[in-house]
């Protein structure tokens, strides 16, 4: 599977990492529909925008990304958690969700997103 032409939501509170992800995913042919660095905007985007998958930092400015994951799950939109934590209650609350350990490479982000999109499409 290829990420070419896939639309993504990014939720990350580290500005440099967010910018790097946007640039890297753009190079892979993705379009970033929204890049959110605060929880209220992330919840709004997850609830209303049209996109194929999301990459979610586990903790946004000290707040759990759980409400965003719940909104995505309710809409049937696949997502990948990104975390520097060994364990986290949000990951435990969504055991079927894919997750990446920080720091990560663009290749691992690409692989994780391809996996969740393939599962969604039944491949």
């Amino acid at each position: 599977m290829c990420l070419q032409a896939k639309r993504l939501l990014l939720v990350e509170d580290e500005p440099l990492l967010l910018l790097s992800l946007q640039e890297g995913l753009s190079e892979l042919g993705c379009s970033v529909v929204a890049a959110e660095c605060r929880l209220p905007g992330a919840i709004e985007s997850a609830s209303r925008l049209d996109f194929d998958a999301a990459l979610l930092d586990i903790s946004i400015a000290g707040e759990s990304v759980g409400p965003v994951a719940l909104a995505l799950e309710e809409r049937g939109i696949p997502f990948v958690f990104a975390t520097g934590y060994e364990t986290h209650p949000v990951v435990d609350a969504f055991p079927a969700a894919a997750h990446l350990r920080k720091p990560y490479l663009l290749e691992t982000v690409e692989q994780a997103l391809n996996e969740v999109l393939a599962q969604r499409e039944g491949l």
Side-chain angles (χ1 to χ4, degrees), residues 29-92:
C30 299
S31 61
V32 175
V33 172
E36 300 291 350
C37 60
R38 295 292 178 253
L39 195 59
I43 294 168
E44 179 75 16
S45 291
S47 300
R48 297 186 187 271
L49 297 180
D50 183 30
F51 52 92
D52 299 299
L55 179 65
L56 310 176
D57 185 359
I58 263 322
S59 178
I60 301 299
E63 296 184 88
S64 170
V65 77
V68 178
L70 184 59
L72 295 172
E73 186 174 71
E74 289 173 354
R75 294 182 66 197
I77 298 173
F79 56 91
V80 176
F81 287 126
T83 180
Y85 299 108
E86 191 67 33
T87 62
H88 193 279
V90 172
V91 173
D92 296 339

Side-chain angles (χ1 to χ4, degrees), residues 9-32:
L9 167 66
L10 301 181
V11 179
E12 171 61 59
D13 63 350
E14 294 293 329
L16 290 177
L17 182 52
L18 187 59
L19 180 60
S20 175
L21 275 169
Q22 285 180 282
E23 289 175 0
L25 290 167
S26 177
E27 290 173 12
L28 294 174
C30 299
S31 61
V32 175

Side-chain angles (χ1 to χ4, degrees), residues 1-6 28-30 110 114 117 121:
M1 176 165 251
C2 175
L3 292 180
Q4 189 75 30
K6 296 297 182 187
L28 294 174
C30 299
E110 179 183 21
N114 274 323
L117 285 164
E121 295 173 9

